[in-house]
Amino acid sequence: MPHLLHVHRPAFAGAALAAAGALLLTGCGGGGGQAAASDPVKDVRAKLPKAQRSAGVLRIGMDVNLTPVEFHGPDGKPTGLDPDLATALGRILDVRVEFVDTPFDKLVPDLQGKQFDVAMSALSDIRQRREGLDENGKQVNPGVDFVDYFIAGTSIVVPKGNPKGIRALDDLCGRTIALQQGTNQDDIATRQTAVCARTGRPLTVHRFDSDVKALAEVASGAAAAGLHDYPVAAYAAKTTDGGNRFEVTGTLSTSNPYGIAVRKGDTELRDTLSKAVDQLIRSGEYDKILGKWNVSAGAAQNAVVNGGI
């Protein structure tokens, strides 16, 4: 059974969100007086499905193993971009959020098995996940819907100074790279392996069960570069050895955003979360959270349902 990690919901600080919704006014009454302003936060809360509203909790599957998106803080509790955003969404929806620590490759199967309500764990919104396809394009599960909330993209991480002069994917041919298995980066590397084979300069890929181990491979010199989500790459370059260990040398794609995964049949929950993300963005708290984790470049303008390619 997955380990449950609880985050207690603090009192809702609604001032900023109320201000964001103050412009959404109803029409004037017949006597010329202005009717009360609609409260967009209350409107969103009212649409939360009965199951979550009655329980007072939103259970979120998360692989707490990807700094700075989600990782264990000094107190052992989840911290990072996703936990902060999820907790803020919980305040909007007036529910407690409960994180279910789950291996990355089990997130979608366990979501479909109703082990939690949603999955939020640097999950890229890609067609394969939406349609439940395997590597060969065969449907193997019902798929999931996504509420997209952050533009991630893939970056190349190299040792500080970029001694191999790596700027793009083709520069990886004839070299060894490191990455986390089962990720978008794994798919990119698989395609690039075929490209490099045609040039006669084979690409060697070392796959690990975490980005931390992949970065260690680059730091040791065993790999010339690593492929990582933009937030991971930016954070590692800024913080590792005081910013003197790594640098980010190339961004390969910004087309597949992070999404909150929801079961295909849970359209009411999906649409409510989409509206909650929009409220979080309008309130200004979204930008503050991204700034805290130095990933403001990935900010979305609004939530999008199934917006990946």
Side-chain angles (χ1 to χ4, degrees):
M1 180 175 180
H3 177 58
L4 299 184
L5 299 161
H6 301 277
V7 173
H8 296 285
R9 176 175 52 83
F12 174 63
L17 290 168
L23 297 177
L24 301 177
L25 304 177
T26 59
C28 295
Q34 191 178 55
S38 172
D39 185 336
V41 174
K42 287 184 179 179
D43 291 345
V44 172
R45 287 179 183 173
K47 298 182 187 304
L48 187 68
K50 183 179 179 181
Q52 288 79 31
R53 189 167 63 248
S54 298
V57 62
L58 182 70
R59 302 181 75 244
I60 301 175
M62 182 177 288
D63 181 10
V64 191
N65 190 34
L66 186 71
T67 308
V69 186
E70 50 257 330
F71 61 102
H72 293 284
D75 59 0
K77 296 179 181 178
T79 189
L81 175 67
D82 278 351
D84 280 1
L85 290 174
T87 301
L89 290 172
R91 288 195 293 269
I92 291 173
L93 297 171
D94 196 30
V95 293
R96 177 171 55 87
V97 295
E98 179 181 277
F99 300 123
V100 184
D101 198 354
T102 305
F104 190 83
D105 61 353
K106 299 294 185 184
L107 285 169
V108 170
D110 283 5
L111 171 64
Q112 292 170 335
K114 299 188 177 181
Q115 298 299 305
F116 31 79
D117 299 308
V118 302
M120 184 177 183
S121 188
L123 271 170
S124 295
D125 174 0
I126 57 175
R127 175 174 172 266
Q128 184 177 349
R129 291 182 178 133
R130 290 196 305 271
E131 298 183 10
L133 308 177
D134 65 12
E135 298 83 359
N136 299 314
K138 179 182 178 182
Q139 185 165 15
V140 292
N141 65 65
V144 295
D145 283 337
F146 283 100
V147 177
D148 301 336
Y149 63 93
F150 181 82
I151 308 302
T154 291
S155 296
I156 303 174
V157 175
V158 296
K160 192 74 172 182
N162 195 5
K164 305 292 186 183
I166 295 170
R167 306 291 178 193
L169 279 178
D170 287 347
D171 297 331
L172 301 175
C173 293
R175 306 189 188 281
T176 297
I177 63 171
L179 50 82
Q180 183 180 4
Q181 62 189 6
T183 59
N184 282 353
Q185 291 73 41
D186 198 346
D187 293 338
I188 291 170
T190 298
R191 293 193 295 270
Q192 188 62 26
T193 297
V195 172
C196 292
R198 292 195 292 270
T199 70
R201 295 178 297 132
L203 172 64
T204 301
V205 182
H206 289 177
R207 294 172 169 86
F208 298 91
D209 60 7
S210 74
D211 269 288
V212 172
K213 293 177 181 177
L215 285 165
E217 188 88 342
V218 178
S220 72
L227 298 185
H228 304 273
D229 279 357
Y230 153 70
V232 176
Y235 188 84
K238 181 178 181 179
T239 63
T240 307
D241 293 347
N244 295 312
R245 176 65 66 178
F246 301 118
E247 67 180 68
V248 178
T249 184
T251 299
L252 308 178
S253 168
T254 56
S255 59
N256 292 312
Y258 286 167
I260 304 171
V262 184
R263 286 183 291 273
K264 280 289 187 183
D266 289 347
T267 54
E268 188 179 7
L269 177 58
R270 180 199 68 191
D271 294 344
T272 300
L273 285 170
S274 179
K275 291 179 173 62
V277 171
D278 282 342
Q279 285 301 318
L280 186 62
I281 292 171
R282 291 168 188 162
S283 75
E285 188 173 3
Y286 173 85
D287 285 337
K288 290 179 181 178
I289 293 171
L290 267 60
K292 172 184 175 181
W293 296 107
N294 194 39
V295 293
S296 297
Q301 298 302 307
N302 55 270
V304 176
V305 173
N306 296 330
I309 62 171

